[in-house]
Amino acid sequence: ARVVRDAIEEPAHVNYPATALHKLPRAAFFVTEGAAKLLSQRQLVALQALKVVDDQVVQRVLIALSVKLHKRLVDLTAEDVAADPLAACAV
């Protein structure tokens, strides 16, 4: 799932070999639901589909945001949360 996410969401770079497909005008990815589980848009759709966003979900989302931003949880700001679609949806 990480390779799929990197191939689709990262900019073209040698560290992400599958991003070379970005340069092909008709390149398409056909992935399974499991392979797509780390894609940002897929995670947002799954979060929006939840009937109830419980504390465990909010905690998971905020921890992921803090790791992504290289910040401690207590150092996350309202702006950090608002700028991240997944965190903004969860909170």
Side-chain angles (χ1 to χ4, degrees), residues 1 11 13 15-16 20 28 30 41 43 46 53 56 63 69-70 76:
H13 192 275
N15 288 342
Y16 309 105
F30 297 92
Q41 190 62 34
Q43 290 179 341
V53 178
Q56 190 174 21
I63 289 171
L69 297 178
H70 305 289
L76 289 177

Side-chain angles (χ1 to χ4, degrees), residues 15-90:
N15 288 342
Y16 309 105
T19 59
L21 296 172
H22 292 192
K23 296 177 182 177
L24 301 175
R26 294 183 155 193
F29 286 88
F30 297 92
V31 297
T32 63
E33 186 175 336
K37 71 182 180 182
L38 295 180
L39 294 173
S40 300
Q41 190 62 34
R42 175 70 181 109
Q43 290 179 341
L44 182 58
V45 168
L47 182 61
Q48 291 169 336
L50 293 177
K51 288 182 171 61
V52 177
V53 178
D54 61 19
D55 290 342
Q56 190 174 21
V57 172
V58 172
Q59 184 179 31
R60 179 179 47 84
V61 169
L62 291 178
I63 289 171
L65 179 60
S66 72
V67 169
K68 181 171 115 180
L69 297 178
H70 305 289
K71 288 186 169 186
R72 298 181 313 159
L73 276 172
V74 297
D75 294 333
L76 289 177
T77 65
E79 292 80 20
D80 294 332
V81 172
D84 184 81
L86 199 58
C89 181

